[in-house]
Amino acid sequence: MVKNPVTAFAISKSYLIAASGVNVYALSLSSGGLLHESTSASSSIIRYVKINEGEEAKHVVACGDDKKLLVWRLSESGLEELDSRELPKKPTCLQLTAKGQKILVADKFGDVFSYPLLPPEQPSTSTPSTQKGGHASSHGTLILGHTSILTELILVERENRPFIVTADRDEHIRISRYPQGFIVHRYCLGSTRFVSSLCDLGNGQLLSGGGEDVLRVWEWDSGECLRTIDVGSSVKPSIVVRRTLSGGEDEEDGRDKKKKKPKGASTKIEASPSVQTEPTLVIRRISKVLVDSKSWIIFGAVGATALFYFPWQKSSQGQSPIETISFALPVLDFIALHDGRLLVSLDSNHAAKEEEPSLQLLKWEQEKLVKQENDSTIQKLENRVRSYDGPSIGDQYELLSTLPKFSIEGQPADGVEDDVMMGVDLGGRSGEKREARQKLREALSRTQGVEETGPSKKAKLDEKEDDDPMDGDGVES
């Protein structure tokens, strides 16, 4: 059994990065060697990892439950820790800009902050910043803010102009200019439950998934939902990890009113004699993969023992059925390798046998995904992850509890706006958040259906951005 299976992957031209517990592993895709592991920088589970492979240097960025933003330099000699910064709130998403010089972090407070890859050097006589929230000490710049937990962010482009797309727990998808995040270009509205995953399809289209039984295809420039793709009937039978409401939990919001969970404790989600919810659908990751000149959409769901895929078609005519490849264990993450194969991480804590592998390679045969024996490179990573002898840390399925809004029966309910259900510390500002939500709804209702066309308005916005001294990475040009 692997106590801390791989929770996140990242890939570049030359390297594969895997996060497992507090460890980060780097593998060379060219030589097949396990370069290095870093075990001392993080004190809790690492949930997000990215890699930037530039011409001069390669950097790995990670963050997790301890709210530390970690940066390493990657070279043939291994991983060299360059920086560790404290984030003000628990992160929920991590991205790097195209040039790799800016780190974008979304958090549970609903904000997106931009951080330089490496903080500027401070004079030795300078005093530490005491600004509330720690943004100044981390050299973060606020890009935008939502009034709910942010669940996903990606970067897209139109005519070489960058935009940042953000999704939240209150069913919103927002398209904002980057780095001028205060300029809202469009909202993609129509989702009936939280949105937890986004995928840029190219050609101005976006694919979203979350708590609904469908994936939605959007034209993000106009905010129009082009069509929906039913996935609920294919995914839900594979969800084996359930959230349960025990006797100590409140039936309305599913929280334990009697005991407060110690900081850093793991919530094990499994079947029990207490009230058990129906399968909770949380789409975890959506990827578009090109295989032999044909595009495929591959996605997973939290607590599901399968991956799901279908060929991508721009039109809605003759939508192909959802294909499934099943495993004995729940899928934690997956990533597409450069040759089209997939690497899948499995939660071996649910394994019945000690020797059950936590990593599985998949290959394509006649347009079907099939299992392949792990090669020597992946086996090296499996052996290293398996050899970790520390305690199990982190909750692999916390999204099943933090994203859905539960009704009295303990089932996901739409439109619930109780701040207590948010599952996030509002820092004494719950009243402000509630008021902000109401103002946002009123503003959206006034603008719903109104196109942002007006030549004078568009010209003014274009002129405003053209005059902005910041380039696409938020750096003065």
Side-chain angles (χ1 to χ4, degrees):
M1 180 182 71
V2 177
K3 294 183 178 179
N4 289 298
V6 173
T7 53
F9 290 112
I11 195 169
S12 69
K13 293 184 296 183
S14 307
Y15 299 95
L16 173 67
I17 307 299
S20 166
V22 299
N23 304 341
V24 171
Y25 301 94
L27 293 95
S28 171
L29 295 176
S30 57
S31 65
L34 184 62
L35 294 180
H36 194 66
E37 65 178 282
S38 176
T39 60
S40 60
S42 178
S43 59
S44 69
I45 186 172
I46 294 176
R47 297 190 184 274
Y48 313 100
V49 62
K50 298 292 179 182
I51 180 172
N52 166 51
E53 186 167 353
E55 295 181 359
E56 298 182 356
K58 304 169 183 64
H59 297 92
V60 176
V61 181
C63 59
D65 289 356
D66 61 356
K67 299 188 292 186
K68 287 183 179 179
L69 183 61
L70 309 169
V71 180
W72 294 271
R73 178 184 288 116
L74 176 60
S75 65
E76 290 297 328
S77 61
L79 285 165
E80 175 191 357
E81 183 182 348
L82 298 179
D83 187 61
S84 175
R85 279 166 278 182
E86 189 77 18
L87 298 173
K89 295 291 180 180
K90 186 177 178 179
T92 57
C93 308
L94 175 68
Q95 286 290 348
L96 294 177
T97 56
K99 297 180 182 179
Q101 296 304 305
K102 293 290 184 180
I103 306 169
L104 300 178
V105 180
D107 60 36
K108 280 199 169 183
F109 204 63
D111 296 327
V112 175
F113 277 82
S114 173
Y115 299 91
L117 184 64
L118 297 175
E121 294 184 3
Q122 296 293 319
S124 58
T125 56
S126 63
T127 57
S129 170
T130 57
Q131 178 175 328
K132 184 178 179 180
H135 297 298
S137 60
S138 299
H139 302 93
T141 301
L142 179 65
I143 299 297
L144 57 86
H146 283 229
T147 56
S148 179
I149 299 175
L150 280 175
T151 55
E152 180 70 297
L153 75 87
I154 62 173
L155 293 170
V156 297
E157 284 191 356
R158 187 196 66 178
E159 299 175 352
N160 295 322
R161 174 176 291 168
F163 293 82
I164 180 171
V165 185
T166 46
D168 66 27
R169 186 176 180 258
D170 284 345
E171 305 94 35
H172 304 131
I173 301 175
R174 167 177 162 173
I175 292 90
S176 311
R177 296 198 180 181
Y178 179 78
Q180 303 88 1
F182 54 86
I183 303 178
V184 180
H185 176 73
R186 190 71 65 197
Y187 282 95
C188 295
L189 302 177
S191 301
T192 59
R193 289 184 180 170
F194 60 85
V195 180
S196 55
S197 189
L198 299 170
C199 177
D200 180 16
L201 298 174
N203 299 317
Q205 293 188 358
L206 186 73
L207 188 61
S208 71
E212 295 182 286
D213 286 351
V214 299
L215 303 181
R216 292 181 180 268
V217 182
W218 305 87
E219 184 179 70
W220 60 262
D221 193 26
S222 66
E224 178 185 359
C225 180
L226 302 179
R227 70 180 191 270
T228 60
I229 302 170
D230 179 60
V231 298
S233 58
S234 300
V235 176
K236 285 185 176 179
S238 299
I239 300 177
V240 298
V241 181
R242 309 286 180 87
R243 180 182 183 275
T244 59
L245 303 180
S246 63
E249 292 181 359
D250 183 85
E251 289 186 347
E252 181 175 356
D253 61 19
R255 297 197 313 155
D256 194 333
K257 300 291 185 178
K258 298 178 181 180
K259 296 182 180 180
K260 184 176 180 181
K261 185 176 69 173
K263 185 176 180 181
S266 173
T267 302
K268 190 67 175 179
I269 303 176
E270 55 186 14
S272 73
S274 57
V275 180
Q276 185 176 5
T277 65
E278 291 298 315
T280 302
L281 179 59
V282 180
I283 300 298
R284 181 66 172 267
R285 177 196 286 269
I286 307 174
S287 294
K288 182 182 178 184
V289 179
L290 184 64
V291 181
D292 296 332
S293 302
K294 187 172 184 177
S295 295
W296 294 83
I297 300 299
I298 306 172
F299 64 96
V302 177
T305 57
L307 282 182
F308 313 92
Y309 60 101
F310 59 91
W312 168 240
Q313 299 171 327
K314 294 182 179 179
S315 66
S316 58
Q317 300 296 328
Q319 174 63 46
S320 300
I322 306 298
E323 301 285 350
T324 301
I325 179 168
S326 299
F327 307 92
L329 304 173
V331 175
L332 295 178
D333 197 15
F334 70 92
I335 196 164
L337 304 179
H338 299 312
D339 57 5
R341 294 182 302 167
L342 297 184
L343 177 59
V344 183
S345 172
L346 304 171
D347 185 4
S348 60
N349 286 303
H350 287 252
K353 298 180 180 179
E354 182 75 20
E355 63 275 8
E356 197 80 44
S358 67
L359 297 172
Q360 177 66 62
L361 273 176
L362 305 179
K363 64 180 180 179
W364 295 90
E365 284 187 0
Q366 299 179 350
E367 298 191 342
K368 299 284 186 180
L369 279 172
V370 297
K371 297 176 184 178
Q372 177 187 8
E373 184 177 352
N374 290 344
D375 58 27
S376 59
T377 302
I378 303 305
Q379 193 58 47
K380 288 179 183 178
L381 178 59
E382 170 77 33
N383 294 339
R384 186 62 65 90
V385 171
R386 186 175 294 274
S387 65
Y388 174 74
D389 197 32
S392 298
I393 60 174
D395 182 358
Q396 309 289 359
Y397 307 101
E398 67 169 5
L399 294 181
L400 294 178
S401 298
T402 59
L403 289 187
K405 302 168 184 177
F406 290 88
S407 66
I408 294 179
E409 291 79 15
Q411 304 304 323
D414 301 325
V416 181
E417 295 299 337
D418 186 356
D419 286 322
V420 177
M421 289 188 181
M422 294 293 290
V424 61
D425 179 14
L426 296 179
R429 294 172 55 193
S430 58
E432 297 177 19
K433 285 281 186 177
R434 192 180 300 109
E435 182 180 355
R437 286 195 197 96
Q438 183 60 31
K439 289 182 178 179
L440 176 61
R441 287 194 193 88
E442 293 173 356
L444 292 177
S445 64
R446 290 193 299 268
T447 58
Q448 185 74 12
V450 179
E451 293 295 327
E452 190 187 23
T453 50
S456 60
K457 181 176 181 180
K458 185 176 186 301
K460 288 180 180 179
L461 287 178
D462 290 343
E463 180 180 357
K464 181 178 182 65
E465 180 162 331
D466 292 339
D467 291 340
D468 197 291
M470 313 294 280
D471 66 9
D473 259 343
V475 182
E476 291 189 8
S477 56

